[in-house]
């Protein structure tokens, strides 16, 4: 495996010509799939958030050079979400756009692509983000049914058509829902996380405690108004009479006892992962405006903060699928010329409590550093008081394509509140991928 030592590392002196500012960020509420957003596609959600973000920013639309957007579960009828979003907003139809994907790190990917374009001087203002509608996931025909449909379209006579239909069994007609399965291992995300919980000795109690705390922090963030400027209201179709204003998966009233009663999902007998300590299936969208620092200044905008460095890494999906953050974070920190201890806050995507706790364990492990990263020293421990201080994906939800952009806005706004200098963000993703970003606060 090639990690850590093999990545080129850059100190601050090598930073690119243009410093990349994040000037604004916004998201829709994150709603449980099958609920109030069920009639909105990912493109619809993306267009809603981009339109609102641009309008709120007051930036003239002619200032933008591009838009980069992603969704993880592909929509067969609108495969180029980036461009479709542009075409459904007030942005000029001449604005180039593209679609990007890095599984659950998709809108981190969109943001870092935008940052690269700006750093290189190829663009000076780019919108980046992502959306997901797991309510609108494509349902596939089984292989025999798909083949029969093709054969039917070619059959000339009624008896020929009847022959084709006669080949089908009842089970062939059943639609196939998309599986969150890792193609090379055949294990779902949840099963892979359960495997990590066992291999790393993460107890059920520790997972439930982590999930519980995250719910309390997210509930408190909403209560104290910390999310009100970063989440837009959405009128709910088809009647538009109801307005979705807040995330609807947060359970302020959850108790450790209630979490402890839930049945394990991915290994029903001996497992420790439950609906309560997993992120739920969610619909939503999030977007950012990135600009060169000069352009932000010229337009009279005050940046929320800056993208300082980033890194992507990968591990063998058959090993510990969701351990990617522990591989990516040291590289991003090296590239930033900073240490874990310099971070005022850390935002870690919570796919499952077992995954976060496994990542934290690897961050602090000398054995992991030596054996997996080829480094003499572990990154270190993260102070719990700095981790996911306003809750994470377990209570907030996880619309795959939107989570990264949600995290960047949430982290930068929190840095501003704390007058903090730096934040580390990490996201684990399918394929054994990991993403890490180091952000500078506006005052850094
Ligand atoms: C885990 C998962 C299968 C659970 O799905 P689900 O069964 O539809 O979940 P529900 O929300 O219906 O919850 C099941 C039960 O737990 C209860 N529950 C969930 N969270 C709870 C909490 N925090 N406190 C108390 N009860 C809770 C629900 O009320 C529900 O109870 P009920 O059956 O009495 O109604 C689903 O969320 C999932 O697949 N998550 C993982 C997604 C994933 O793999 N993402 C990729 C990772 S990057």
């Amino acid at each position: 495996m090639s990690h850590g030592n093999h990545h080129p590392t850059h100190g601050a002196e090598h930073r690119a010509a243009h410093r990349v500012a994040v000037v604004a960020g916004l998201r829709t509420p994150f709603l449980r799939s099958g609920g109030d957003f069920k009639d909105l596609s990912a493109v619809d959600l993306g267009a809603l958030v981009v339109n609102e973000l641009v309008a709120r920013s007051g930036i003239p639309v002619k200032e933008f050079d591009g838009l980069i957007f992603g969704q993880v579960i592909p929509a067969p009828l609108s495969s180029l979400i980036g461009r479709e979003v542009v075409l459904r907003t007030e942005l000029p139809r001449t604005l180039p756009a593209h679609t990007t994907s890095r599984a659950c790190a998709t809108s981190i990917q969109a943001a870092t692509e935008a940052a690269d374009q700006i750093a290189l001087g190829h663009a000076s203002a780019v919108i980046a983000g992502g959306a997901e509608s797991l309510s609108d996931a494509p349902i596939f025909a089984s292989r025999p049914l798909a083949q029969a449909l093709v054969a039917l379209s070619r059959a000339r006579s009624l008896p020929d058509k009847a022959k084709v239909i006669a080949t089908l069994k009842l089970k062939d007609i059943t639609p196939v829902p998309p599986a969150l399965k890792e193609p090379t291992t055949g294990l779902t995300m949840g099963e892979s996380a359960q495997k990590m919980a066992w291999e790393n000795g993460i107890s059920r109690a520790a997972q439930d405690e982590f999930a519980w705390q995250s719910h309390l922090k997210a509930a408190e963030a909403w209560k104290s108004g910390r999310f009100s400027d970063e989440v837009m209201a959405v009128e709910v179709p088809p009647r538009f009479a109801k307005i979705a204003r807040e995330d609807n998966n947060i359970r302020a009233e959850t108790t450790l006892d209630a979490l402890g009663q839930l049945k394990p999902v991915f290994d029903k007998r001996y497992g420790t992962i439950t609906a309560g300590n997993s992120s739920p299936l969610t619909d939503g969208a999030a977007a950012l405006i990135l600009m060169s620092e000069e352009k932000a200044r010229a337009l009279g905008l005050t940046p929320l903060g800056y993208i300082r460095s980033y890194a992507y890494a990968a591990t063998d999906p058959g090993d510990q699928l969701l351990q990617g953050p522990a591989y990516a974070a040291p590289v991003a920190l090296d590239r930033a010329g900073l240490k874990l201890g310099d971070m005022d806050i850390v935002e870690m995507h919570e796919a499952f409590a077992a995954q976060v706790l496994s990542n934290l364990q690897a961050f602090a492990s000398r054995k992991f550093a030596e054996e997996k990263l080829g480094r003499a020293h572990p990154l270190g421990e993260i102070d719990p008081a700095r981790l996911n201080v306003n809750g994470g994906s377990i209570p907030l939800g996880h619309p795959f394509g939107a989570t990264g952009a949600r995290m960047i806005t949430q982290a930068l706004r929190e840095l501003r509140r704390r007058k903090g200098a730096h934040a580390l963000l990490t996201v684990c993703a399918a394929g054994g991928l990991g993403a890490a970003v180091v952000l500078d606060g506006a005052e850094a």
Side-chain angles (χ1 to χ4, degrees), residues 32 104 180 189 215 251 254 259 262 275-276 278-280 351-352 398:
R32 296 169 61 86
C104 292
L180 296 171
M189 288 280 158
H215 274 278
R251 298 174 185 245
T254 294
L259 283 163
L262 297 176
S278 308
S279 58
F352 302 91
H398 174 36

Side-chain angles (χ1 to χ4, degrees), residues 13 59 72 130 321 389:
E13 72 278 11
I59 300 167
V72 175
L321 183 74
V389 295

